[in-house]
PDB file of all heavy atoms in Angstrom:
ATOM      1  N   ILE A  25       0.807  -1.190   0.005  1.00 94.00           N
ATOM      2  CA  ILE A  25      -0.004  -0.040   0.000  1.00 94.00           C
ATOM      3  C   ILE A  25       0.861   1.235  -0.017  1.00 94.00           C
ATOM      4  O   ILE A  25       0.573   2.222  -0.735  1.00 94.00           O
ATOM      5  CB  ILE A  25      -0.964   0.004   1.232  1.00 94.00           C
ATOM      6  CG1 ILE A  25      -1.882  -1.204   1.219  1.00 94.00           C
ATOM      7  CG2 ILE A  25      -1.794   1.289   1.231  1.00 94.00           C
ATOM      8  CD1 ILE A  25      -2.781  -1.330  -0.024  1.00 94.00           C
ATOM      9  N   HIS A  26       1.915   1.263   0.763  1.00 95.00           N
ATOM     10  CA  HIS A  26       2.767   2.457   0.895  1.00 95.00           C
ATOM     11  C   HIS A  26       4.061   2.349   0.095  1.00 95.00           C
ATOM     12  O   HIS A  26       5.026   3.083   0.355  1.00 95.00           O
ATOM     13  CB  HIS A  26       3.101   2.726   2.396  1.00 95.00           C
ATOM     14  CG  HIS A  26       1.850   2.990   3.224  1.00 95.00           C
ATOM     15  ND1 HIS A  26       1.063   4.064   3.021  1.00 95.00           N
ATOM     16  CD2 HIS A  26       1.260   2.174   4.165  1.00 95.00           C
ATOM     17  CE1 HIS A  26       0.022   4.028   3.874  1.00 95.00           C
ATOM     18  NE2 HIS A  26       0.146   2.902   4.555  1.00 95.00           N
ATOM     19  N   SER A  27       4.103   1.468  -0.900  1.00 95.00           N
ATOM     20  CA  SER A  27       5.279   1.320  -1.712  1.00 95.00           C
ATOM     21  C   SER A  27       5.473   2.557  -2.590  1.00 95.00           C
ATOM     22  O   SER A  27       4.578   3.162  -3.060  1.00 95.00           O
ATOM     23  CB  SER A  27       5.115   0.151  -2.630  1.00 95.00           C
ATOM     24  OG  SER A  27       6.237  -0.024  -3.461  1.00 95.00           O
ATOM     25  N   ASP A  28       6.749   2.916  -2.766  1.00 94.00           N
ATOM     26  CA  ASP A  28       7.090   4.148  -3.574  1.00 94.00           C
ATOM     27  C   ASP A  28       7.213   3.804  -5.021  1.00 94.00           C
ATOM     28  O   ASP A  28       7.604   4.603  -5.825  1.00 94.00           O
ATOM     29  CB  ASP A  28       8.363   4.807  -3.071  1.00 94.00           C
ATOM     30  CG  ASP A  28       9.527   3.859  -3.094  1.00 94.00           C
ATOM     31  OD1 ASP A  28       9.369   2.640  -3.303  1.00 94.00           O
ATOM     32  OD2 ASP A  28      10.678   4.343  -2.840  1.00 94.00           O
ATOM     33  N   ARG A  29       6.900   2.542  -5.398  1.00 95.00           N
ATOM     34  CA  ARG A  29       7.018   2.114  -6.828  1.00 95.00           C
ATOM     35  C   ARG A  29       5.879   1.132  -7.053  1.00 95.00           C
ATOM     36  O   ARG A  29       5.255   0.593  -6.115  1.00 95.00           O
ATOM     37  CB  ARG A  29       8.385   1.495  -7.075  1.00 95.00           C
ATOM     38  CG  ARG A  29       8.789   0.414  -6.180  1.00 95.00           C
ATOM     39  CD  ARG A  29      10.233   0.120  -6.268  1.00 95.00           C
ATOM     40  NE  ARG A  29      10.621  -0.636  -5.072  1.00 95.00           N
ATOM     41  CZ  ARG A  29      11.457  -1.675  -5.049  1.00 95.00           C
ATOM     42  NH1 ARG A  29      12.028  -2.020  -6.168  1.00 95.00           N
ATOM     43  NH2 ARG A  29      11.685  -2.324  -3.961  1.00 95.00           N
ATOM     44  N   PRO A  30       5.573   0.846  -8.302  1.00 96.00           N
ATOM     45  CA  PRO A  30       4.542  -0.130  -8.587  1.00 96.00           C
ATOM     46  C   PRO A  30       4.864  -1.541  -7.981  1.00 96.00           C
ATOM     47  O   PRO A  30       6.036  -1.856  -7.887  1.00 96.00           O
ATOM     48  CB  PRO A  30       4.479  -0.215 -10.142  1.00 96.00           C
ATOM     49  CG  PRO A  30       5.143   1.035 -10.624  1.00 96.00           C
ATOM     50  CD  PRO A  30       6.124   1.385  -9.517  1.00 96.00           C
ATOM     51  N   VAL A  31       3.818  -2.262  -7.628  1.00 97.00           N
ATOM     52  CA  VAL A  31       3.983  -3.561  -7.032  1.00 97.00           C
ATOM     53  C   VAL A  31       3.316  -4.626  -7.908  1.00 97.00           C
ATOM     54  O   VAL A  31       2.148  -4.467  -8.308  1.00 97.00           O
ATOM     55  CB  VAL A  31       3.408  -3.669  -5.643  1.00 97.00           C
ATOM     56  CG1 VAL A  31       3.580  -5.013  -5.039  1.00 97.00           C
ATOM     57  CG2 VAL A  31       4.061  -2.551  -4.740  1.00 97.00           C
ATOM     58  N   LEU A  32       4.037  -5.677  -8.233  1.00 98.00           N
ATOM     59  CA  LEU A  32       3.522  -6.804  -8.974  1.00 98.00           C
ATOM     60  C   LEU A  32       3.363  -7.947  -7.913  1.00 98.00           C
ATOM     61  O   LEU A  32       4.352  -8.422  -7.364  1.00 98.00           O
ATOM     62  CB  LEU A  32       4.435  -7.269 -10.108  1.00 98.00           C
ATOM     63  CG  LEU A  32       4.115  -8.615 -10.752  1.00 98.00           C
ATOM     64  CD1 LEU A  32       2.682  -8.546 -11.435  1.00 98.00           C
ATOM     65  CD2 LEU A  32       5.176  -9.008 -11.760  1.00 98.00           C
ATOM     66  N   LEU A  33       2.104  -8.264  -7.566  1.00 98.00           N
ATOM     67  CA  LEU A  33       1.886  -9.330  -6.599  1.00 98.00           C
ATOM     68  C   LEU A  33       1.620 -10.637  -7.307  1.00 98.00           C
ATOM     69  O   LEU A  33       0.843 -10.718  -8.266  1.00 98.00           O
ATOM     70  CB  LEU A  33       0.662  -9.016  -5.741  1.00 98.00           C
ATOM     71  CG  LEU A  33       0.814  -7.948  -4.725  1.00 98.00           C
ATOM     72  CD1 LEU A  33      -0.506  -7.690  -3.977  1.00 98.00           C
ATOM     73  CD2 LEU A  33       1.936  -8.230  -3.742  1.00 98.00           C
ATOM     74  N   ASP A  34       2.214 -11.731  -6.784  1.00 98.00           N
ATOM     75  CA  ASP A  34       2.047 -13.074  -7.303  1.00 98.00           C
ATOM     76  C   ASP A  34       1.348 -13.885  -6.210  1.00 98.00           C
ATOM     77  O   ASP A  34       1.944 -14.117  -5.202  1.00 98.00           O
ATOM     78  CB  ASP A  34       3.370 -13.694  -7.729  1.00 98.00           C
ATOM     79  CG  ASP A  34       3.253 -15.169  -7.995  1.00 98.00           C
ATOM     80  OD1 ASP A  34       2.251 -15.592  -8.530  1.00 98.00           O
ATOM     81  OD2 ASP A  34       4.255 -15.911  -7.769  1.00 98.00           O
ATOM     82  N   PHE A  35       0.091 -14.217  -6.414  1.00 98.00           N
ATOM     83  CA  PHE A  35      -0.626 -15.111  -5.492  1.00 98.00           C
ATOM     84  C   PHE A  35      -0.343 -16.518  -5.930  1.00 98.00           C
ATOM     85  O   PHE A  35      -0.624 -16.881  -7.101  1.00 98.00           O
ATOM     86  CB  PHE A  35      -2.148 -14.862  -5.481  1.00 98.00           C
ATOM     87  CG  PHE A  35      -2.479 -13.516  -4.826  1.00 98.00           C
ATOM     88  CD1 PHE A  35      -2.457 -12.354  -5.582  1.00 98.00           C
ATOM     89  CD2 PHE A  35      -2.802 -13.440  -3.467  1.00 98.00           C
ATOM     90  CE1 PHE A  35      -2.822 -11.101  -5.012  1.00 98.00           C
ATOM     91  CE2 PHE A  35      -3.116 -12.304  -2.916  1.00 98.00           C
ATOM     92  CZ  PHE A  35      -3.112 -11.123  -3.645  1.00 98.00           C
ATOM     93  N   TRP A  36       0.264 -17.356  -5.095  1.00 98.00           N
ATOM     94  CA  TRP A  36       0.819 -18.653  -5.488  1.00 98.00           C
ATOM     95  C   TRP A  36       0.625 -19.668  -4.379  1.00 98.00           C
ATOM     96  O   TRP A  36       0.270 -19.295  -3.226  1.00 98.00           O
ATOM     97  CB  TRP A  36       2.244 -18.546  -5.869  1.00 98.00           C
ATOM     98  CG  TRP A  36       3.102 -18.276  -4.710  1.00 98.00           C
ATOM     99  CD1 TRP A  36       3.258 -17.160  -4.015  1.00 98.00           C
ATOM    100  CD2 TRP A  36       3.945 -19.206  -3.997  1.00 98.00           C
ATOM    101  NE1 TRP A  36       4.102 -17.306  -2.930  1.00 98.00           N
ATOM    102  CE2 TRP A  36       4.539 -18.596  -2.931  1.00 98.00           C
ATOM    103  CE3 TRP A  36       4.198 -20.576  -4.284  1.00 98.00           C
ATOM    104  CZ2 TRP A  36       5.462 -19.240  -2.030  1.00 98.00           C
ATOM    105  CZ3 TRP A  36       5.086 -21.242  -3.352  1.00 98.00           C
ATOM    106  CH2 TRP A  36       5.687 -20.489  -2.305  1.00 98.00           C
ATOM    107  N   ALA A  37       0.936 -20.927  -4.635  1.00 97.00           N
ATOM    108  CA  ALA A  37       1.026 -22.000  -3.629  1.00 97.00           C
ATOM    109  C   ALA A  37       2.188 -22.986  -4.104  1.00 97.00           C
ATOM    110  O   ALA A  37       2.362 -23.155  -5.290  1.00 97.00           O
ATOM    111  CB  ALA A  37      -0.285 -22.690  -3.455  1.00 97.00           C
ATOM    112  N   PRO A  38       2.812 -23.588  -3.123  1.00 96.00           N
ATOM    113  CA  PRO A  38       3.930 -24.503  -3.525  1.00 96.00           C
ATOM    114  C   PRO A  38       3.453 -25.725  -4.344  1.00 96.00           C
ATOM    115  O   PRO A  38       4.261 -26.251  -5.114  1.00 96.00           O
ATOM    116  CB  PRO A  38       4.498 -24.900  -2.154  1.00 96.00           C
ATOM    117  CG  PRO A  38       3.686 -24.331  -1.136  1.00 96.00           C
ATOM    118  CD  PRO A  38       2.712 -23.403  -1.683  1.00 96.00           C
ATOM    119  N   TRP A  39       2.216 -26.131  -4.197  1.00 97.00           N
ATOM    120  CA  TRP A  39       1.711 -27.289  -4.903  1.00 97.00           C
ATOM    121  C   TRP A  39       1.231 -26.975  -6.344  1.00 97.00           C
ATOM    122  O   TRP A  39       0.923 -27.878  -7.076  1.00 97.00           O
ATOM    123  CB  TRP A  39       0.575 -27.934  -4.135  1.00 97.00           C
ATOM    124  CG  TRP A  39      -0.403 -26.950  -3.626  1.00 97.00           C
ATOM    125  CD1 TRP A  39      -0.507 -26.419  -2.390  1.00 97.00           C
ATOM    126  CD2 TRP A  39      -1.516 -26.390  -4.420  1.00 97.00           C
ATOM    127  NE1 TRP A  39      -1.525 -25.492  -2.334  1.00 97.00           N
ATOM    128  CE2 TRP A  39      -2.172 -25.499  -3.510  1.00 97.00           C
ATOM    129  CE3 TRP A  39      -1.986 -26.538  -5.726  1.00 97.00           C
ATOM    130  CZ2 TRP A  39      -3.294 -24.745  -3.933  1.00 97.00           C
ATOM    131  CZ3 TRP A  39      -3.080 -25.805  -6.138  1.00 97.00           C
ATOM    132  CH2 TRP A  39      -3.757 -24.930  -5.230  1.00 97.00           C
ATOM    133  N   CYS A  40       1.236 -25.708  -6.693  1.00 97.00           N
ATOM    134  CA  CYS A  40       0.708 -25.240  -7.985  1.00 97.00           C
ATOM    135  C   CYS A  40       1.806 -25.311  -9.104  1.00 97.00           C
ATOM    136  O   CYS A  40       2.745 -24.577  -9.051  1.00 97.00           O
ATOM    137  CB  CYS A  40       0.168 -23.851  -7.797  1.00 97.00           C
ATOM    138  SG  CYS A  40      -0.185 -22.953  -9.289  1.00 97.00           S
ATOM    139  N   GLY A  41       1.558 -26.184 -10.118  1.00 96.00           N
ATOM    140  CA  GLY A  41       2.543 -26.334 -11.183  1.00 96.00           C
ATOM    141  C   GLY A  41       2.757 -25.070 -12.018  1.00 96.00           C
ATOM    142  O   GLY A  41       3.903 -24.611 -12.181  1.00 96.00           O
ATOM    143  N   PRO A  42       1.649 -24.381 -12.423  1.00 97.00           N
ATOM    144  CA  PRO A  42       1.839 -23.169 -13.180  1.00 97.00           C
ATOM    145  C   PRO A  42       2.533 -22.028 -12.346  1.00 97.00           C
ATOM    146  O   PRO A  42       3.293 -21.269 -12.903  1.00 97.00           O
ATOM    147  CB  PRO A  42       0.423 -22.726 -13.571  1.00 97.00           C
ATOM    148  CG  PRO A  42      -0.378 -23.982 -13.586  1.00 97.00           C
ATOM    149  CD  PRO A  42       0.246 -24.825 -12.514  1.00 97.00           C
ATOM    150  N   CYS A  43       2.326 -22.082 -11.062  1.00 97.00           N
ATOM    151  CA  CYS A  43       2.972 -21.144 -10.177  1.00 97.00           C
ATOM    152  C   CYS A  43       4.498 -21.345 -10.176  1.00 97.00           C
ATOM    153  O   CYS A  43       5.301 -20.411 -10.252  1.00 97.00           O
ATOM    154  CB  CYS A  43       2.495 -21.224  -8.728  1.00 97.00           C
ATOM    155  SG  CYS A  43       0.783 -20.909  -8.470  1.00 97.00           S
ATOM    156  N   ARG A  44       4.886 -22.647 -10.128  1.00 96.00           N
ATOM    157  CA  ARG A  44       6.313 -22.973 -10.242  1.00 96.00           C
ATOM    158  C   ARG A  44       6.918 -22.633 -11.600  1.00 96.00           C
ATOM    159  O   ARG A  44       8.070 -22.257 -11.666  1.00 96.00           O
ATOM    160  CB  ARG A  44       6.555 -24.459  -9.922  1.00 96.00           C
ATOM    161  CG  ARG A  44       6.285 -24.793  -8.468  1.00 96.00           C
ATOM    162  CD  ARG A  44       6.778 -26.138  -8.058  1.00 96.00           C
ATOM    163  NE  ARG A  44       6.330 -27.235  -8.897  1.00 96.00           N
ATOM    164  CZ  ARG A  44       5.219 -27.944  -8.672  1.00 96.00           C
ATOM    165  NH1 ARG A  44       4.444 -27.723  -7.640  1.00 96.00           N
ATOM    166  NH2 ARG A  44       4.870 -28.905  -9.531  1.00 96.00           N
ATOM    167  N   MET A  45       6.104 -22.691 -12.633  1.00 95.00           N
ATOM    168  CA  MET A  45       6.566 -22.343 -13.981  1.00 95.00           C
ATOM    169  C   MET A  45       6.904 -20.818 -14.121  1.00 95.00           C
ATOM    170  O   MET A  45       7.879 -20.502 -14.729  1.00 95.00           O
ATOM    171  CB  MET A  45       5.499 -22.694 -15.008  1.00 95.00           C
ATOM    172  CG  MET A  45       5.388 -24.158 -15.333  1.00 95.00           C
ATOM    173  SD  MET A  45       4.024 -24.532 -16.408  1.00 95.00           S
ATOM    174  CE  MET A  45       4.072 -23.272 -17.688  1.00 95.00           C
ATOM    175  N   ILE A  46       6.081 -19.971 -13.488  1.00 96.00           N
ATOM    176  CA  ILE A  46       6.376 -18.571 -13.657  1.00 96.00           C
ATOM    177  C   ILE A  46       7.315 -17.950 -12.622  1.00 96.00           C
ATOM    178  O   ILE A  46       7.792 -16.843 -12.723  1.00 96.00           O
ATOM    179  CB  ILE A  46       5.077 -17.731 -13.723  1.00 96.00           C
ATOM    180  CG1 ILE A  46       4.301 -17.719 -12.397  1.00 96.00           C
ATOM    181  CG2 ILE A  46       4.183 -18.140 -14.899  1.00 96.00           C
ATOM    182  CD1 ILE A  46       3.229 -16.625 -12.305  1.00 96.00           C
ATOM    183  N   HIS A  47       7.641 -18.778 -11.578  1.00 95.00           N
ATOM    184  CA  HIS A  47       8.562 -18.306 -10.517  1.00 95.00           C
ATOM    185  C   HIS A  47       9.851 -17.760 -11.091  1.00 95.00           C
ATOM    186  O   HIS A  47      10.267 -16.615 -10.743  1.00 95.00           O
ATOM    187  CB  HIS A  47       8.754 -19.376  -9.517  1.00 95.00           C
ATOM    188  CG  HIS A  47       9.716 -19.001  -8.469  1.00 95.00           C
ATOM    189  ND1 HIS A  47       9.402 -18.168  -7.435  1.00 95.00           N
ATOM    190  CD2 HIS A  47      11.046 -19.260  -8.325  1.00 95.00           C
ATOM    191  CE1 HIS A  47      10.499 -17.942  -6.695  1.00 95.00           C
ATOM    192  NE2 HIS A  47      11.453 -18.635  -7.217  1.00 95.00           N
ATOM    193  N   PRO A  48      10.507 -18.468 -11.980  1.00 95.00           N
ATOM    194  CA  PRO A  48      11.796 -17.994 -12.481  1.00 95.00           C
ATOM    195  C   PRO A  48      11.613 -16.659 -13.326  1.00 95.00           C
ATOM    196  O   PRO A  48      12.491 -15.776 -13.286  1.00 95.00           O
ATOM    197  CB  PRO A  48      12.352 -19.058 -13.406  1.00 95.00           C
ATOM    198  CG  PRO A  48      11.568 -20.279 -13.156  1.00 95.00           C
ATOM    199  CD  PRO A  48      10.293 -19.855 -12.476  1.00 95.00           C
ATOM    200  N   VAL A  49      10.506 -16.545 -14.013  1.00 96.00           N
ATOM    201  CA  VAL A  49      10.235 -15.345 -14.745  1.00 96.00           C
ATOM    202  C   VAL A  49      10.066 -14.165 -13.819  1.00 96.00           C
ATOM    203  O   VAL A  49      10.586 -13.064 -14.066  1.00 96.00           O
ATOM    204  CB  VAL A  49       8.980 -15.505 -15.598  1.00 96.00           C
ATOM    205  CG1 VAL A  49       8.535 -14.237 -16.281  1.00 96.00           C
ATOM    206  CG2 VAL A  49       9.181 -16.624 -16.663  1.00 96.00           C
ATOM    207  N   LEU A  50       9.348 -14.357 -12.727  1.00 97.00           N
ATOM    208  CA  LEU A  50       9.145 -13.281 -11.720  1.00 97.00           C
ATOM    209  C   LEU A  50      10.467 -12.867 -11.094  1.00 97.00           C
ATOM    210  O   LEU A  50      10.710 -11.702 -10.860  1.00 97.00           O
ATOM    211  CB  LEU A  50       8.116 -13.684 -10.730  1.00 97.00           C
ATOM    212  CG  LEU A  50       6.671 -13.903 -11.312  1.00 97.00           C
ATOM    213  CD1 LEU A  50       5.737 -14.460 -10.281  1.00 97.00           C
ATOM    214  CD2 LEU A  50       6.116 -12.651 -11.910  1.00 97.00           C
ATOM    215  N   GLU A  51      11.256 -13.864 -10.792  1.00 96.00           N
ATOM    216  CA  GLU A  51      12.603 -13.561 -10.191  1.00 96.00           C
ATOM    217  C   GLU A  51      13.404 -12.737 -11.202  1.00 96.00           C
ATOM    218  O   GLU A  51      14.095 -11.758 -10.788  1.00 96.00           O
ATOM    219  CB  GLU A  51      13.333 -14.837  -9.825  1.00 96.00           C
ATOM    220  CG  GLU A  51      12.824 -15.604  -8.680  1.00 96.00           C
ATOM    221  CD  GLU A  51      13.075 -14.891  -7.346  1.00 96.00           C
ATOM    222  OE1 GLU A  51      14.015 -14.124  -7.232  1.00 96.00           O
ATOM    223  OE2 GLU A  51      12.314 -15.169  -6.383  1.00 96.00           O
ATOM    224  N   GLU A  52      13.370 -13.108 -12.458  1.00 96.00           N
ATOM    225  CA  GLU A  52      14.091 -12.361 -13.500  1.00 96.00           C
ATOM    226  C   GLU A  52      13.518 -10.909 -13.556  1.00 96.00           C
ATOM    227  O   GLU A  52      14.358  -9.962 -13.644  1.00 96.00           O
ATOM    228  CB  GLU A  52      13.829 -13.081 -14.813  1.00 96.00           C
ATOM    229  CG  GLU A  52      14.793 -12.756 -15.933  1.00 96.00           C
ATOM    230  CD  GLU A  52      14.560 -13.661 -17.085  1.00 96.00           C
ATOM    231  OE1 GLU A  52      14.891 -14.886 -17.034  1.00 96.00           O
ATOM    232  OE2 GLU A  52      14.042 -13.157 -18.106  1.00 96.00           O
ATOM    233  N   ILE A  53      12.252 -10.702 -13.554  1.00 96.00           N
ATOM    234  CA  ILE A  53      11.686  -9.355 -13.620  1.00 96.00           C
ATOM    235  C   ILE A  53      12.127  -8.577 -12.397  1.00 96.00           C
ATOM    236  O   ILE A  53      12.504  -7.380 -12.490  1.00 96.00           O
ATOM    237  CB  ILE A  53      10.133  -9.423 -13.732  1.00 96.00           C
ATOM    238  CG1 ILE A  53       9.718  -9.961 -15.103  1.00 96.00           C
ATOM    239  CG2 ILE A  53       9.524  -8.041 -13.442  1.00 96.00           C
ATOM    240  CD1 ILE A  53       8.208 -10.307 -15.224  1.00 96.00           C
ATOM    241  N   ALA A  54      12.124  -9.211 -11.211  1.00 96.00           N
ATOM    242  CA  ALA A  54      12.583  -8.526  -9.989  1.00 96.00           C
ATOM    243  C   ALA A  54      14.035  -8.087 -10.119  1.00 96.00           C
ATOM    244  O   ALA A  54      14.336  -6.986  -9.669  1.00 96.00           O
ATOM    245  CB  ALA A  54      12.432  -9.438  -8.811  1.00 96.00           C
ATOM    246  N   ARG A  55      14.882  -8.863 -10.767  1.00 95.00           N
ATOM    247  CA  ARG A  55      16.282  -8.482 -10.927  1.00 95.00           C
ATOM    248  C   ARG A  55      16.459  -7.397 -12.002  1.00 95.00           C
ATOM    249  O   ARG A  55      17.229  -6.457 -11.816  1.00 95.00           O
ATOM    250  CB  ARG A  55      17.134  -9.689 -11.343  1.00 95.00           C
ATOM    251  CG  ARG A  55      17.492 -10.648 -10.250  1.00 95.00           C
ATOM    252  CD  ARG A  55      18.559 -11.610 -10.669  1.00 95.00           C
ATOM    253  NE  ARG A  55      18.202 -12.341 -11.904  1.00 95.00           N
ATOM    254  CZ  ARG A  55      17.482 -13.469 -11.926  1.00 95.00           C
ATOM    255  NH1 ARG A  55      16.978 -13.962 -10.825  1.00 95.00           N
ATOM    256  NH2 ARG A  55      17.251 -14.051 -13.079  1.00 95.00           N
ATOM    257  N   GLU A  56      15.682  -7.498 -13.071  1.00 96.00           N
ATOM    258  CA  GLU A  56      15.845  -6.583 -14.216  1.00 96.00           C
ATOM    259  C   GLU A  56      15.129  -5.211 -14.074  1.00 96.00           C
ATOM    260  O   GLU A  56      15.441  -4.243 -14.720  1.00 96.00           O
ATOM    261  CB  GLU A  56      15.328  -7.272 -15.474  1.00 96.00           C
ATOM    262  CG  GLU A  56      16.154  -8.423 -15.940  1.00 96.00           C
ATOM    263  CD  GLU A  56      15.544  -9.189 -17.093  1.00 96.00           C
ATOM    264  OE1 GLU A  56      14.395  -8.808 -17.530  1.00 96.00           O
ATOM    265  OE2 GLU A  56      16.139 -10.137 -17.572  1.00 96.00           O
ATOM    266  N   ARG A  57      14.126  -5.217 -13.199  1.00 95.00           N
ATOM    267  CA  ARG A  57      13.254  -4.006 -13.086  1.00 95.00           C
ATOM    268  C   ARG A  57      13.286  -3.469 -11.648  1.00 95.00           C
ATOM    269  O   ARG A  57      12.330  -3.666 -10.920  1.00 95.00           O
ATOM    270  CB  ARG A  57      11.836  -4.332 -13.509  1.00 95.00           C
ATOM    271  CG  ARG A  57      11.590  -4.714 -14.956  1.00 95.00           C
ATOM    272  CD  ARG A  57      11.676  -3.469 -15.882  1.00 95.00           C
ATOM    273  NE  ARG A  57      10.787  -2.373 -15.498  1.00 95.00           N
ATOM    274  CZ  ARG A  57       9.545  -2.221 -15.964  1.00 95.00           C
ATOM    275  NH1 ARG A  57       9.062  -3.071 -16.860  1.00 95.00           N
ATOM    276  NH2 ARG A  57       8.816  -1.262 -15.601  1.00 95.00           N
ATOM    277  N   PRO A  58      14.326  -2.744 -11.274  1.00 93.00           N
ATOM    278  CA  PRO A  58      14.410  -2.142  -9.906  1.00 93.00           C
ATOM    279  C   PRO A  58      13.277  -1.148  -9.657  1.00 93.00           C
ATOM    280  O   PRO A  58      13.047  -0.800  -8.530  1.00 93.00           O
ATOM    281  CB  PRO A  58      15.764  -1.567  -9.809  1.00 93.00           C
ATOM    282  CG  PRO A  58      16.218  -1.382 -11.217  1.00 93.00           C
ATOM    283  CD  PRO A  58      15.500  -2.440 -12.075  1.00 93.00           C
ATOM    284  N   ASP A  59      12.634  -0.713 -10.752  1.00 95.00           N
ATOM    285  CA  ASP A  59      11.572   0.292 -10.568  1.00 95.00           C
ATOM    286  C   ASP A  59      10.249  -0.365 -10.236  1.00 95.00           C
ATOM    287  O   ASP A  59       9.225   0.278  -9.969  1.00 95.00           O
ATOM    288  CB  ASP A  59      11.360   1.075 -11.921  1.00 95.00           C
ATOM    289  CG  ASP A  59      11.033   0.144 -13.053  1.00 95.00           C
ATOM    290  OD1 ASP A  59      11.636  -0.925 -13.243  1.00 95.00           O
ATOM    291  OD2 ASP A  59      10.113   0.530 -13.811  1.00 95.00           O
ATOM    292  N   VAL A  60      10.203  -1.720 -10.128  1.00 96.00           N
ATOM    293  CA  VAL A  60       9.013  -2.464  -9.768  1.00 96.00           C
ATOM    294  C   VAL A  60       9.350  -3.376  -8.565  1.00 96.00           C
ATOM    295  O   VAL A  60      10.360  -4.041  -8.562  1.00 96.00           O
ATOM    296  CB  VAL A  60       8.484  -3.311 -10.923  1.00 96.00           C
ATOM    297  CG1 VAL A  60       7.342  -4.191 -10.567  1.00 96.00           C
ATOM    298  CG2 VAL A  60       8.160  -2.429 -12.140  1.00 96.00           C
TER     299      VAL A  60
END
């Protein structure tokens, strides 16, 4: 709520296959986009 930059929230669960598939993509975005 009080973040000074846009926030991308990922609602996930460890048992969710598609969640595990996008995890590396989200980590990559977190590294590449310090503005988010």
Side-chain angles (χ1 to χ4, degrees):
I25 300 300
H26 300 293
S27 177
D28 59 351
R29 54 197 164 137
V31 180
L32 171 62
L33 288 179
D34 171 31
F35 289 87
W36 71 285
W39 47 263
C40 166
C43 299
R44 289 194 306 269
M45 284 174 43
I46 67 167
H47 176 78
V49 173
L50 296 173
E51 289 288 338
E52 199 173 287
I53 291 170
R55 280 192 309 273
E56 294 173 356
R57 294 286 305 268
D59 60 316
V60 175

